[in-house]
Structure formats: structure tokens, C-alpha cells
Amino acid sequence: MSKFWSPLVNDLVPYVPGEQPKMANLVKLNTNENPFGPSPKVIEAIKAELNDGLRLYPDPEGESLRQTIAEYHKVKPEQIFLGNGSDEVLAHIFFGLFQHGEPILFPDITYSFYPVYCGLYNIESRKISLTESFEINPDDFKQPNGGVIFPNPNAPTGRYLELQHVEEILAANSDRVVVVDEAYIDFGGESAITLVDKYPNLLVSQTLSKARSLAGLRVGFAVGHPDLIEALNRVKNSFNSYPLDRLALAGAKAAYEDEAWFRKCCDGVISERERVTAALEGLGFEVLPSKANFIFARHKDQPGEVLAKGLREQGIIVRHFNKPRISEFLRITIGTVEQNDALIGGLRSL
Ligand SMILES: *Cc1c(COP(=O)(O)O)cnc(C)c1O
């Protein structure tokens, strides 16, 4: 606390991102980054932007990138909102679409940034318990609220909610915005973007950090009805007109233009996910069915905290959450074949 702080700052409970250790040679499976690098075409496009043009501000509307993403998802550019990572997009969603004086709804086990935004913007929330098997029950989201948000697949569970159930939640909340955070959708799920023209209350957020291997570039976006997008633009233009720099705009566009690379990376993650799942089951783990680039697993008699610590001593970093219901679990990012072999070997030795 400091006398210089705005009073609000005293009460903030900030998000704690997964550790980015400075040590070399770690097997880093803790923050769901993609083990395969970005497309070489992305690197070329970024290099091509490294010139005198950097003295000029970037396009505040990111029109060219919005056009590319719109074509890719078969929507109109005015249905796309860009942000500096989907975290920034989510922040603007909370500020611009969730302040209705009633609690918003999200699962009890979910992305831990949601309660942080609630704290920042003073938004009430109600946590909806996942089922015993860590699934979202759509019926639980049929109650008065100020908005709904959940990741699909959910994080950190990896569990996927079929599109017909997403649609049930949308239909039951036609007077409120329902946000589907699809950070991990490309690892085996079906995007709700196909529903945006049918449901004006639907906003889908996606990121280039996970499936497109660009966590370092900071690009995310939302897709929805132009009225929802306009609210986000009003917030953004009252905060930072240029959330995406020239390098990010160029690199992101190139990422969408290299579909083959994207497919190869996703397929690689999916096949490794199935292999790691089988290996861990063989070691006595229960592994929740995952459609993400990570798995969520608990051992039948080894505590999660002990395993996380034991792995760390071997230079392998995974995520452990000391939270109710999930403290026995490890969240393990799917890495390269070699990294996954190291993980399996490490767990076997423990
Ligand atoms: C990683 C992640 C994000 C944030 O992605 P960025 O675009 O890197 O900010 C958002 N939601 C969920 C559920 C995530 O796991």
C-alpha cells in the first residue's frame, strides 16, 4: 500500500500468470504454449515490416487483418474486434458488456482471469459448479444473470461442451451476452462462430497464442453481432487506439494465410495428446477427456503437489493449482515428442 495509490488499487487481486522461468533447458509444460514454432511465413512477414514504416502509427482498425480473419471464418469484417491478446479483448468485454447490476455466471473451475476482471470493474459474479465429472451442465446457466462466460474447451479441465449445448445456453439467455472463450477450440472442438448470425447475444473470443504458436505476438479477437463489436470499439477507443502494432498485424495475417502449417501443428498436438493420455493412464492417472493442447490429470495415490515438485526437480515444469476440487490435478501442456517422453519418464520415476 502507498499513499500514492488510487484507493481502488488497494483492493485489486491481480491475475498470476504461469511462470516464465529464466533457466535454459527446462521442459516447459506449464503455460499451454504451442511446442511447434510459428509458420516461417509469419517470421518473413514480420521481417518485411522492420523498416522505416515503423515511424508511423499502425492502422487503428486493423482493417486488413480483420478482412483476413472474416474471410477465414465466413463472417463480415464489422463482426470482428481485434485486441492485444484475447486477455485484452476479454477485459473490454467485461467492461463494455457485463455491467448490468446483476451477477455474471461462469464455472467454479475455469480461467482464473474472469474473477480478476470482475474485481477490476466491480462486477458481481456467481460461480456455477461443474458436475462431478467436471462438465458444464447447460441447465445451470438458465437463471437470471448479467452475462455468461465460459471457455470451450474449458480451462484448466480441457473438457469440451458440444455445440448443441452451447446453443441451449444461448437460447436461454437471449437478453444477455454469452461469451464463449475459444482459446483452445482448434485442438478438436467445433467453433461457435458458425452461430453468430443466429444469436445476436453471442460473442466468441479466440487467440493466436495457442493453436497458431504466437503467444509472444499478443493477438486475439472477438466475433459477434456488429452491435456487440461496436460496444468493444467504443471501449477500446477510450483506452488505447493502437492495441496491435505493425509487426503483430503483419504476423497475424500471415498466420491465417498458412493453413497447412496451422493444420500440421494442431494435428501434431492432438496425436501427442492421445499418446500422453494413454501413457499416463498406464501409470495410474485419471486423465479428463481433453480437446485442448493440455491435459488435466490426477494420480490414484500420488498428491498433485508432490508430483509437480518432483517433476520440477527433474527440470520439468507443469501447472498445479492449489484450489478446491482440483488440488490433486496436474495441468500438463502437450509438448514435442521429446518433451512428452521426458514428462512420461519423469512421472514413471516418481
Ligand atoms: C490463454 C488463454 C487466454 C488468453 O490468451 P491471450 O490471447 O494470450 O491473451 C484466454 N482464455 C483462456 C481460457 C486461455 O487459456
Side-chain angles (χ1 to χ4, degrees):
M1 207 198 288
S2 153
K3 67 176 177 181
F4 299 115
W5 290 9
S6 300
L8 192 115
V9 173
N10 290 329
D11 299 328
L12 289 182
V13 185
Y15 178 72
V16 183
E19 187 190 357
Q20 295 292 348
K22 301 286 182 289
M23 281 182 308
N25 300 323
L26 284 177
V27 176
K28 188 177 177 304
L29 303 175
N30 68 329
T31 49
N32 299 343
E33 289 137 332
N34 199 311
F36 307 109
S39 155
K41 290 181 181 152
V42 169
I43 310 298
E44 271 171 45
I46 292 174
K47 280 185 179 160
E49 281 296 305
L50 289 173
N51 56 45
D52 183 59
L54 284 177
R55 71 190 180 79
L56 300 171
Y57 283 105
D59 174 7
E61 313 302 335
E63 212 169 304
S64 173
L65 176 58
R66 276 173 42 237
Q67 184 78 45
T68 299
I69 296 176
E71 271 168 33
Y72 184 88
H73 285 296
K74 302 187 174 63
V75 296
K76 299 187 207 75
E78 61 266 31
Q79 291 176 285
I80 310 269
F81 175 80
L82 300 171
N84 189 261
S86 62
D87 284 341
E88 185 184 76
V89 174
L90 292 171
H92 291 341
I93 290 170
F94 275 69
F95 186 84
L97 297 166
F98 277 173
Q99 308 208 54
H100 297 286
E102 284 171 279
I104 66 160
L105 311 180
F106 51 78
D108 61 337
I109 299 161
T110 196
Y111 187 37
S112 45
F113 227 132
Y114 303 156
V116 173
Y117 293 132
C118 285
L120 178 61
Y121 297 125
N122 201 11
I123 299 166
E124 296 283 319
S125 63
R126 188 176 304 134
K127 292 186 173 142
I128 306 296
S129 291
L130 296 178
T131 65
E132 277 295 295
S133 48
F134 300 96
E135 286 175 282
I136 287 173
N137 179 355
D139 288 337
D140 298 336
F141 288 83
K142 297 172 185 171
Q143 54 171 293
N145 64 69
V148 173
I149 183 165
F150 57 90
N152 196 31
N154 196 7
T157 63
R159 294 216 67 155
Y160 172 69
L161 184 67
E162 295 290 338
L163 223 44
Q164 78 204 65
H165 297 306
V166 173
E167 214 169 337
E168 253 186 79
I169 295 175
L170 286 163
N173 291 284
S174 54
D175 288 338
R176 290 295 185 234
V177 175
V178 175
V179 179
V180 185
D181 177 350
E182 293 188 338
Y184 302 103
I185 197 67
D186 295 311
F187 300 106
E190 204 184 333
S191 174
I193 290 177
T194 53
L195 299 173
V196 291
D197 288 330
K198 187 169 173 193
Y199 295 96
N201 59 327
L202 167 62
L203 201 53
V204 177
S205 77
Q206 290 198 358
T207 174
L208 279 73
S209 297
K210 315 282 167 51
R212 286 189 167 75
S213 307
L214 288 171
L217 203 62
R218 311 308 303 131
V219 184
F221 61 93
V223 187
H225 191 282
D227 285 352
L228 302 182
I229 300 303
E230 191 186 334
L232 300 178
N233 275 318
R234 292 177 68 126
V235 176
K236 169 225 158 204
N237 288 318
S238 308
F239 179 77
N240 175 9
S241 306
Y242 306 105
L244 270 71
D245 60 56
R246 287 173 169 271
L247 309 185
L249 288 169
K253 191 173 162 68
Y256 275 90
E257 288 167 350
D258 195 349
E259 175 77 5
W261 182 272
F262 163 71
R263 287 280 153 228
K264 198 177 71 165
C265 294
C266 291
D267 291 348
V269 166
I270 292 168
S271 67
E272 275 300 281
R273 180 182 70 207
E274 303 316 316
R275 184 176 76 92
V276 174
T277 299
L280 263 59
E281 283 171 349
L283 292 173
F285 281 88
E286 174 199 359
V287 184
L288 299 188
S290 169
K291 287 234 190 283
N293 68 340
F294 58 85
I295 53 171
F296 205 47
R298 64 179 156 194
H299 194 263
K300 56 180 165 49
D301 40 47
Q302 295 290 321
E305 194 168 7
V306 171
L307 290 174
K309 197 158 165 280
L311 284 174
R312 173 174 285 268
E313 281 160 10
Q314 304 178 39
I316 302 165
I317 305 196
V318 300
R319 193 103 194 245
H320 172 255
F321 300 90
N322 214 345
K323 290 185 181 171
R325 293 189 76 187
I326 57 169
S327 62
E328 293 312 316
F329 282 86
L330 299 176
R331 192 197 67 188
I332 305 168
T333 305
I334 300 303
T336 59
V337 172
E338 296 72 33
Q339 290 176 318
N340 299 333
D341 283 343
L343 169 89
I344 294 162
L347 284 171
R348 187 174 292 124
S349 76
L350 291 170

